[in-house]
Amino acid sequence: MRRADALAGHGEQPWWWDAVCYQVDVGSFADGDGDGIGDLAGLTSRLGYLELLGVDAVVLAGAAGLDPAAGPFAELLGVAHDSGMRVMLSLDVDPARSDPASVLWPWLEHGADGFHLAPRPDSADAIGAALAGHPDRVVIGSGPGDWHLSFNLDLAVAGFDADRVRKAITDVLAAPGPRPAWAMASRDTEQSRDDAALTPVRAMALVQLALPGAVCLRHGEELGLPGTQRVRMPWEGDRPPFGFSDADADWSSIPADWVSFTAEAQLEDEASTLSLYRHALETRGTHPAFTGDEVEWFGAPPGCFAFRRAGTTLICALNTSPEPVPLPPGEVVLSSRPVGPGELPPGTAAWLV
């Protein structure tokens, strides 16, 4: 059972408190009707994968052309709810161009569970008024506002440097306002995804998932895919488009060497990035040490840090230095790369209890 469901069932915290929110670029996720463009039918057919991954909410991006009153959205919502997942919308809301109520209400009336909004700084009050009649819906916002969760990319901006990452974490947790929703993938640039490039990606995933608050993943992030704006999800097979679509089209924009990045290939590989995310989300959602809303910092060698979730036994250690360092005391529950006896290798993060 996911932690969001468990907490909701025991009345401790709302489902979104430590939720895993998975943003899907609808047009690039899965093509259900064979026209070469991703759609809601394709997403619905792949919800089993998201349930296996351990997702609490699916956030639909690229929803401008979607109809909340149409059958595909109702079907998606029904299948997701039956699987214990919520469905949210990622929308741009600007009162200078439109009334927020006119944008949000059609989705609210047809059962959407909430929104990830990118409003202008002066639009928070208008959005709050639009949602006043729907107190059970969740809002992830950016910047000032009366949101449930505050989206931030501070970890991504910090890069792979222990001191800068620690400062980013400290600053976010110390800031007043909503509970944080940590995000890593901005996909602004092309970059390789060989083993060396994936080392900091995997380590930072464990740091992100160890922190108090919700997390926002973007589709393909769990596969370690390169940093492009609209990545077509590679599902299976040995050639492009790797199960994304049945359309007979030019798929030359999808690298042929992504065969090792498909969900199918990585599910069968216990050392893959997808397997790391699956194990991390399962541990995060079920292990009793993943509670506590503050972190306590330990002393650590240069280029490293270690923190404990306050009031628990969970320790997250990160080594961004070029040399191995001693592991903190405890049992290693999960590590981004194999660890030796008592040592945390360079470019590695580990969870200990």
Side-chain angles (χ1 to χ4, degrees), residues 50-95:
L50 299 185
E51 185 178 12
L52 182 68
L53 181 60
V55 168
D56 297 302
V58 183
V59 183
L60 310 184
L66 302 179
D67 181 0
F73 181 70
E75 183 178 0
L76 170 68
L77 202 66
V79 175
H81 286 176
D82 287 346
S83 302
M85 285 182 279
R86 274 75 174 185
V87 178
M88 304 174 67
L89 280 298
S90 179
L91 300 171
D92 291 322
V93 178
D94 183 351

Side-chain angles (χ1 to χ4, degrees), residues 9 45 55 132 163 170 235 252 269 285 314 350:
S45 72
V55 168
D163 292 338
T170 301
W235 292 103
S252 59
D269 179 4
L314 172 70

Side-chain angles (χ1 to χ4, degrees), residues 23-268:
Q23 181 176 299
V24 170
D25 294 318
V26 175
S28 301
F29 193 67
D31 173 18
D33 61 11
D35 66 354
I37 302 172
D39 48 44
L40 292 184
L43 170 56
T44 302
S45 72
R46 297 291 186 175
L47 284 179
Y49 167 80
L50 299 185
E51 185 178 12
L52 182 68
L53 181 60
V55 168
D56 297 302
V58 183
V59 183
L60 310 184
L66 302 179
D67 181 0
F73 181 70
E75 183 178 0
L76 170 68
L77 202 66
V79 175
H81 286 176
D82 287 346
S83 302
M85 285 182 279
R86 274 75 174 185
V87 178
M88 304 174 67
L89 280 298
S90 179
L91 300 171
D92 291 322
V93 178
D94 183 351
R97 292 193 303 270
S98 60
D99 173 15
S102 68
V103 177
L104 303 181
W105 280 358
W107 295 105
L108 293 169
E109 292 170 353
H110 289 90
D113 296 295
F115 303 96
H116 181 181
L117 300 179
R120 296 194 322 177
D122 59 356
S123 67
D125 291 343
I127 291 170
L131 291 166
H134 302 274
D136 58 330
R137 309 302 165 88
V138 175
V139 177
I140 304 172
S142 301
D146 189 18
W147 324 122
H148 298 84
L149 296 166
S150 179
F151 179 85
N152 74 82
L153 282 165
D154 294 57
L155 294 180
V157 173
F160 195 57
D161 177 272
D163 292 338
R164 292 175 60 188
V165 173
R166 174 172 174 166
K167 184 179 187 304
I169 294 169
T170 301
D171 289 350
V172 170
L173 293 179
R179 188 166 178 80
W182 306 93
M184 284 294 302
S186 56
R187 293 196 184 154
D188 290 334
T189 58
E190 295 282 353
Q191 51 189 302
S192 65
R193 276 295 183 261
D194 57 18
D195 192 65
L198 281 171
T199 293
V201 171
R202 292 167 61 97
M204 287 302 297
L206 290 194
V207 173
Q208 176 193 22
L209 294 170
L211 292 168
V215 296
C216 295
L217 307 179
R218 194 170 181 185
H219 89 245
E221 185 175 350
E222 76 282 6
L223 301 179
L225 291 181
T228 55
Q229 286 288 350
R230 292 180 62 82
V231 176
R232 292 186 180 92
M233 188 73 168
W235 292 103
E236 65 238 349
D238 59 4
R239 65 192 66 184
F242 299 115
F244 165 75
S245 173
D246 292 330
D248 183 11
D250 179 8
W251 300 111
S252 59
S253 62
I254 303 177
D257 61 2
W258 277 19
V259 62
S260 62
F261 284 108
T262 68
E264 178 184 56
Q266 294 200 42
L267 282 171
E268 297 173 355

